[in-house]
Amino acid sequence: MTGGSGQAGRVNARHNGGSGISRLALCLEADTWGPQHSHSGRKKPQAPNRTKTLSFSSGAATARMAATAAALRCCFPGSSGVGSGFVKAKSSRRGWCAAAVAAPSREAEPVSSLGHRTRVDFPILHQEFDGAKLVYFDNGATSQKPYSVMRTLDEYYRSYNSNVHRGIHALSAKATQAYEDARRKVANFVNAADSREIIFTRNATEAINLVAYSWGLSNLKEGDEIVLTVAEHHSAIVPWQFVSQKTGATLKYVGLTKENAPDIEQLKRLLSNKTKIVVVHHVANVLGSMLPIEEIVTWSNRVGAKVLVDACQSVPHMPVDVQKLGADFLVASSHKMCGPTGVGFLHGKFEILSSMEPFLGGGEMIADVFQDKSTYAEPPSRFEAGTPAIGEAIGLGAAIDYLSCIGMEQIHEYEKELGTYLYESLLSVPNVQIYGPAPSQTVHRAPLCSFNIENVHPTDIAEILDLQAYK
């Protein structure tokens, strides 16, 4: 839902990046979508219609919000309030993938949904508020973490905390092995051709900046063009604005269709021999639309352009095969896929990474250092200057183990069912306008919905829904 301030509230029916829990995720997404979007309320180009912001203290607005909140609660079957969500207060079941989790034992109740089977794996969801079990509504921003990830982090810091690649003692050797094992797990998870194609970064934002500064500044010049869509996350737009200002390259934006999805035909028309890189999402974090990456890569390759894919909203929720997609670069974040914050990754084709200059200078990324020059290590070390987020990377490996144990295809199918239910249920709520394409047999829509509620500011709706959990 969006209001006059340009903020967007988002509801996601997600399994929490692998937790499988049947719940909606409501969050405010300020400054995360499209160009020309500011706190001052300036509208985004081609964005959906905005509504006038009403004061929360308005009696009419309060009544309208209360009615809308009640209608929204009807989207949660079996729920007497938002806090109880889809899950009955007494409903729990030990994690079904025993090798990946260590959950407290409790009486099992015969349930069949993936959400019920995995909810017990997430300790934060064991909290209660006034007798109602916590339902986490902010999956679009970050996912919760299962026991197995927490246990892995705890084991690292308790048992073998040490720097990697630099020591010959036993703890350093064990830490190095676990860190590189995590890299191999990421590579296998996205089917990279070689684990050296996986670069650990702080997050997907840093990964995009790495490409923008290391590849972009060296390969773009005045007259070149960078193609993006208006539905990109700001972290995929701002770095290329910086690069265009420094190189003289031009930014070209793909608009939206009447169905509020990126206009693929316009994208094809924008491609030319001036296009040097295409920066696109796999799944839009606001619109829920999914782009045909394989086709975009084919079209881009015909004009000699590279392709960078923001896969933050796809890697945690469906099988992603980087070799099949064919993109030159792909980025994702650990914290959206049941892993720790502070670590993400860049996948890049090895021959391209080998041709790129380092992004940061320091220890680990060098081969030899002289007083006046240095030679650089091969990827991935070239792009991992200094002490990395060791425990976090190892924790990401544990998150991948957890997701893989469930199965990404099963996760994807479960989410498709939830996403369709969410979309159809929101359509039944009065005065709600949903953005993005409608799900159908031919159109895949991710299980999230951005929407406006007529004459109500998104912050107000978010606050009143949040308060329901405490009543």
Side-chain angles (χ1 to χ4, degrees):
M1 52 191 169
T2 56
S5 69
Q7 291 178 308
R10 179 172 58 184
V11 170
N12 304 286
R14 291 197 180 278
H15 67 324
N16 196 20
S19 73
I21 189 64
S22 302
R23 59 185 180 280
L24 302 177
L26 178 63
C27 61
L28 288 179
E29 293 284 350
D31 293 332
T32 58
W33 179 81
Q36 301 181 28
H37 175 180
S38 70
H39 286 291
S40 64
R42 185 168 50 165
K43 296 181 181 179
K44 302 187 282 276
Q46 303 189 46
N49 294 331
R50 303 294 172 198
T51 57
K52 182 179 179 181
T53 301
L54 296 183
S55 167
F56 186 78
S57 62
S58 165
T62 302
R64 188 178 296 108
M65 285 187 291
T68 304
L72 286 173
R73 287 199 298 276
C74 294
C75 293
F76 300 75
S79 171
S80 60
V82 173
S84 58
F86 283 61
V87 183
K88 297 177 182 178
K90 64 177 181 177
S91 175
S92 296
R93 185 173 178 177
R94 188 172 180 83
W96 65 283
C97 187
V101 299
S105 61
R106 60 190 66 197
E107 183 125 359
E109 182 175 295
V111 292
S112 58
S113 79
L114 185 60
H116 282 82
R117 294 202 299 269
T118 55
R119 180 182 173 91
V120 69
D121 300 337
F122 293 79
I124 198 170
L125 301 180
H126 300 166
Q127 301 178 69
E128 292 190 359
F129 294 91
D130 293 334
K133 279 200 171 183
L134 172 67
V135 177
Y136 179 69
F137 274 22
D138 204 14
N139 300 284
T142 195
S143 62
Q144 294 302 333
K145 323 307 174 192
Y147 281 100
S148 56
V149 170
M150 296 181 182
R151 186 174 64 247
T152 297
L153 284 169
D154 184 68
E155 181 185 4
Y156 166 72
Y157 285 111
R158 285 179 181 270
S159 303
Y160 60 102
N161 173 42
S162 184
N163 216 324
V164 295
H165 300 140
R166 304 181 187 188
I168 59 173
H169 54 87
L171 295 187
S172 179
K174 184 173 183 179
T176 299
Q177 181 67 46
Y179 182 75
E180 292 303 327
D181 282 347
R183 192 190 309 277
R184 284 185 282 273
K185 289 177 182 180
V186 174
N188 290 335
F189 193 66
V190 297
N191 194 32
D194 192 317
S195 64
R196 294 177 299 169
E197 295 183 333
I198 301 300
I199 312 298
F200 283 130
T201 59
R202 285 189 306 158
N203 43 45
T205 297
E206 184 176 273
I208 295 170
N209 276 268
L210 190 162
V211 176
Y213 281 92
S214 182
W215 184 88
L217 289 181
S218 298
N219 290 277
L220 296 175
K221 63 183 185 304
E222 187 172 358
D224 290 340
E225 294 179 352
I226 305 164
V227 173
L228 314 93
T229 81
V230 296
E232 298 310 310
H233 192 284
H234 286 181
S235 64
I237 293 177
V238 177
W240 296 103
Q241 291 176 338
F242 291 160
V243 168
S244 68
Q245 292 162 8
K246 293 177 183 295
T247 63
T250 303
L251 300 175
K252 296 284 187 178
Y253 286 100
V254 175
L256 304 180
T257 65
K258 62 182 180 180
E259 291 81 19
N260 283 325
D263 190 334
I264 299 302
E265 292 303 315
Q266 183 188 11
L267 189 154
K268 289 174 65 176
R269 292 194 299 270
L270 285 177
L271 295 175
S272 71
N273 58 9
K274 294 182 179 181
T275 308
K276 300 306 177 185
I277 190 165
V278 177
V279 181
V280 289
H281 57 269
H282 196 181
V283 172
N285 74 310
V286 171
L287 297 175
S289 54
M290 185 173 177
L291 291 179
I293 299 300
E294 293 178 59
E295 295 178 41
I296 292 172
V297 169
T298 299
W299 303 331
S300 301
N301 287 346
R302 287 174 184 167
V303 298
K306 298 287 189 288
V307 178
L308 185 156
V309 176
D310 175 356
C312 287
Q313 298 293 343
S314 62
V315 166
H317 304 288
M318 64 184 69
V320 172
D321 184 331
V322 294
Q323 293 191 65
K324 184 178 179 181
L325 293 178
D328 301 282
F329 306 103
L330 180 142
V331 305
S333 279
S334 163
H335 73 96
K336 293 184 185 293
M337 52 192 292
C338 296
T341 57
V343 67
F345 68 87
L346 162 70
H347 170 265
K349 293 181 177 178
F350 189 76
E351 63 273 17
I352 300 176
L353 294 175
S354 297
S355 70
M356 290 163 51
E357 294 291 314
F359 176 45
L360 299 172
E364 193 61 31
M365 48 72 64
I366 44 84
D368 297 292
V369 178
F370 305 95
Q371 288 190 347
D372 59 344
K373 64 178 182 179
S374 297
T375 58
Y376 307 126
E378 286 296 303
S381 298
R382 179 179 301 183
F383 303 105
E384 295 181 10
T387 298
I390 302 168
E392 288 79 358
I394 296 170
L396 169 57
I400 287 174
D401 289 340
Y402 181 82
L403 295 175
S404 299
C405 188
I406 297 172
M408 294 309 298
E409 191 59 50
Q410 182 175 0
I411 288 170
H412 182 48
E413 291 302 315
Y414 181 62
E415 285 194 344
K416 284 168 62 177
E417 180 182 349
L418 288 179
T420 300
Y421 175 80
L422 168 64
Y423 187 91
E424 292 175 350
S425 298
L426 281 174
L427 282 179
S428 67
V429 179
N431 304 317
V432 169
Q433 179 185 359
I434 307 173
Y435 301 127
S440 68
Q441 294 295 325
T442 57
V443 176
H444 170 63
R445 180 191 172 99
L448 60 87
C449 285
S450 297
F451 57 95
N452 263 343
I453 298 178
E454 184 180 355
N455 294 327
V456 182
H457 193 279
T459 303
D460 297 340
I461 285 293
E463 183 175 355
I464 198 169
L465 287 174
D466 184 56
L467 291 174
Q468 297 298 317
Y470 301 93
K471 294 182 179 179

